[in-house]
Amino acid sequence: MDAITGLMNGFSVALQPQNLFWAFVGTFMGTAIGVLPGIGPALTIALLLPVTVYIEPTAAFIMFAGILYGAMYGGSTTSILLNTPGESGSMMTALEGNKMARQGRGAAALCTAAIGSFVAGTIGTLGITFLAPPIAELAFIFKPQDYFALMLLAFLSVSVVMGTSKVRGFIALFLGLSLGVVGIDKQTGLQRLTFGVPDLMDGVEMTVVLVSLFAVGETLYVASRFGFQKPNLNPLSGGIWMTKEDWKRSWKPWLRGTGFGFPIGALPAGGAEIPTFLSYTVERNLTKHPEEFGHGAIEGVAGPEAANNAAAAGVLVPLLTLGLPTSATAAILLAAFQNYGLQPGPLLFINSADLVWGLIASLYVGNLMLLILNLPLAGLWVRLLFIPRPYLYAGILIFSLVGIWGVSNSWVDLAMMAGVGVLGYMMRVYDFPIAPVLIGLILGPMAEVQMRRALAVGQGDPTVFVSTPLSAVLIAVSVLILIVPAMLHWRRTRKIDMPDETAGV
């Protein structure tokens, strides 16, 4: 009852005209920066912090929340249309969404992304409203070995499922893990794979690899394959709206993606990457149209996009209830709270109830604004594909260069962008999956930290990784993911060979 009363008071704050204005500004800015690769909500909020000191705290945080949600959706637009994710959580959307766009079904992909974002965001906000304290307590239940087992599951599931070859999937994963260990080892202080370059001491910037593999690699691939010829596709041939079949195939992935995104997003080190990977893997295994995956399956857009936006809501749970930031954006939001002399945690709901509940209520309003803002624009966004390829991909390269330079002002990052872009082109030519590289880079350092913590707790005993029921189950599932496909393949090949052996006898 207290939550409902607080939410009603929050709506009385969020629906004030000035707060509605800031919510619209936040969602619009968030969508715009989500489209631009390399910018991201964390950098945008950080740049706005000095300006928002002059704005009333509730209005400022309503705008920040709009930026967070808007950026999560905006990243899907370029993922689907240009195969260039603006956010790391949108890279799984690119796998099937861009294939749909190439088949003339870009508008349907954008619509399922928008509606999935709305459904997941609304359910996630309901979770913040009613389930925040219980879910935040999971952070105390999870032990280092549990986190390591969860990340191991993500590594194996993505490497085995992605692409046509498991060997190529694992090669791509180890490339990502290699990039992830570059920099100074936080435990020993030793430099690893820096080759005497000071700019590499802080590690490889994830945004550089993300933009290089997708944007630069895609541009080089298109330039080498198609040159200046006009694309032989009609971006609107599949219509400007979802068909009845699309709705039927999307609603379950929306709910399953939300089920992955919100609880994992609420955990430390959860983020949007793990739930989007898991959602894509589950949808690929559950679909009734397995032949479409890799060629434009709408479930591969609906599930990960819902997981991405639900995770964005989940990130706010430990921030508001424990003062625990679990992502870069959450860390910037924590700094913003402290700028106003506020400390997130249980007392925040008592001492600043109007601000907290106004913020939560504004998430419902912002979600509706995003839906109204983006659904009518789906057909307009798709018309980007009518732009001649040389101009379109030149624009992508310019935006990518501006984004990378704006993040770090480093020539080393620009050189790495060129090198990794060529690597992305070669991976595209030889059919290597890109997602395992990214998950290795993002989760590799986290997995290393959790592995070391678990070994320290177990005093070097490797059985510590199966010492809790949760870690044992997760590792058992990981082993099954590795072994079962190989066994099924062996049985299929044996059945094919059996008639030949019989005929010979």
Side-chain angles (χ1 to χ4, degrees), residues 250-444:
S250 293
W251 71 271
K252 289 181 181 178
W254 289 337
L255 297 179
R256 283 192 290 261
T258 304
F260 281 118
F262 182 73
I264 294 178
L267 295 172
E273 293 83 11
I274 293 177
T276 53
F277 291 136
L278 293 178
S279 174
Y280 183 86
T281 304
V282 167
E283 297 308 327
R284 185 163 183 159
N285 290 329
L286 294 181
T287 183
K288 295 178 181 178
H289 307 275
E291 72 284 353
E292 290 188 20
F293 267 81
H295 304 283
I298 196 167
E299 296 94 336
V301 178
E305 196 58 29
N308 183 27
N309 282 268
V315 162
L316 295 176
V317 174
L319 177 67
L320 294 176
T321 57
L322 298 174
L324 180 67
T326 59
S327 70
T329 307
I332 300 296
L333 286 173
L334 178 61
F337 273 108
Q338 292 170 346
N339 265 8
Y340 285 103
L342 302 169
Q343 180 58 47
L347 293 177
L348 189 67
F349 285 80
I350 299 171
N351 299 333
S352 305
D354 285 348
L355 187 151
V356 175
W357 288 109
L359 172 64
I360 293 172
S362 75
L363 297 178
Y364 293 97
V365 177
N367 261 314
L368 185 60
M369 283 184 175
L370 275 173
L371 189 69
I372 296 171
L373 186 66
N374 287 296
L375 270 185
L377 294 177
L380 178 64
W381 285 121
V382 172
R383 285 178 171 82
L384 283 172
L385 297 180
F386 281 117
I387 300 173
R389 275 195 171 120
Y391 304 127
L392 182 61
Y393 285 95
I396 292 172
L397 275 182
I398 290 171
F399 277 126
S400 301
L401 287 167
V402 169
I404 297 302
W405 182 255
V407 168
S408 61
N409 291 331
S410 170
W411 289 102
V412 173
D413 280 354
L414 292 182
M416 184 173 293
M417 177 181 172
V420 177
V422 173
L423 176 65
Y425 164 71
M426 294 173 64
M427 293 179 70
R428 182 79 188 273
V429 169
Y430 293 105
D431 199 23
F432 280 78
I434 289 176
V437 179
L438 298 170
I439 192 172
L441 171 64
I442 295 166
L443 298 184

Side-chain angles (χ1 to χ4, degrees), residues 3 23 50 62 71 98 204 302 308 372 427 440 462 476 488-489 497:
I62 286 174
N98 188 249
V204 176
N308 183 27
I372 296 171
M427 293 179 70
L488 292 175
H489 177 71
D497 292 339

Side-chain angles (χ1 to χ4, degrees), residues 132-217:
I135 288 183
E137 288 178 8
L138 286 176
F140 300 108
I141 298 173
F142 265 55
K143 295 180 179 178
Q145 53 266 45
D146 299 324
Y147 283 117
F148 177 76
L150 180 63
M151 292 174 192
L152 181 65
L153 175 62
F155 288 146
L156 291 176
S157 61
V158 171
S159 300
V160 170
V161 169
M162 294 295 166
T164 56
S165 165
K166 295 178 183 63
V167 174
R168 290 174 182 169
F170 279 112
I171 290 173
L173 174 65
F174 287 123
L175 278 172
L177 291 172
S178 301
L179 290 171
V181 299
V182 173
I184 294 178
D185 182 358
K186 293 182 175 63
Q187 185 165 330
T188 63
L190 297 176
Q191 296 182 29
R192 300 188 296 192
L193 302 178
T194 58
F195 305 104
V197 180
D199 289 46
L200 292 179
M201 289 183 184
D202 290 331
V204 176
E205 180 65 41
M206 186 268 295
T207 307
V208 175
V209 178
L210 177 67
V211 171
S212 303
L213 286 177
F214 280 98
V216 180

